[in-house]
């Protein structure tokens, strides 16, 4: 199935080649979990602060069991600091 993957700020460098504007459409297996996709993208766990599917926050303890549906939008933000 296809899902749209969006990686923001410093995470954009982990997108596959050919990604535009920090997003790409990826083909994934039907049973891939959020945690498995994070691993597949080689994202450092400490940088996967805000994880969303279709704008809904996925808590860290639910990422191992939460899977995708065709056409989902998966977004990941690193921790953000400001002053």
């Amino acid at each position: 199935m296809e899902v749209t993957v969006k990686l923001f700020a410093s995470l954009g460098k982990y997108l596959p080649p050919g990604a535009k504007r920090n997003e790409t459409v990826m083909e994934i297996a039907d049973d891939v979990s959020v945690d498995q996709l994070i691993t597949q993208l080689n994202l450092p766990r400490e940088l996967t602060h805000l994880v969303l599917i279709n704008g809904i926050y996925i808590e860290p303890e639910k990422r191992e069991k939460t899977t995708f549906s065709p056409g989902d939008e998966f977004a990941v933000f690193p921790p953000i600091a400001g002053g």
Side-chain angles (χ1 to χ4, degrees):
M1 83 175 95
E2 287 187 347
V3 297
T4 299
V5 176
K6 296 181 176 187
L7 302 180
F8 293 92
S10 61
L11 296 178
K13 66 184 176 187
Y14 293 95
L15 283 167
K20 295 179 183 174
R21 296 186 183 163
N22 285 11
E23 74 177 68
T24 192
V25 175
M26 290 183 65
E27 185 73 31
I28 63 170
D30 290 345
D31 59 349
V32 168
S33 71
V34 167
D35 194 54
Q36 289 170 322
L37 186 53
I38 288 170
T39 299
Q40 183 179 335
L41 291 166
N42 295 313
L43 297 174
R45 299 285 171 191
E46 67 275 7
L47 297 182
T48 58
H49 181 69
L50 183 61
V51 176
L52 309 164
I53 295 179
N54 300 325
I56 299 170
Y57 176 64
I58 308 300
E59 299 173 27
E61 59 273 5
K62 294 182 179 178
R63 295 176 188 171
E64 193 172 311
K65 295 189 186 242
T66 302
T67 57
F68 297 90
S69 297
D72 277 350
E73 186 175 280
F74 177 63
V76 183
F77 293 82
I80 299 171

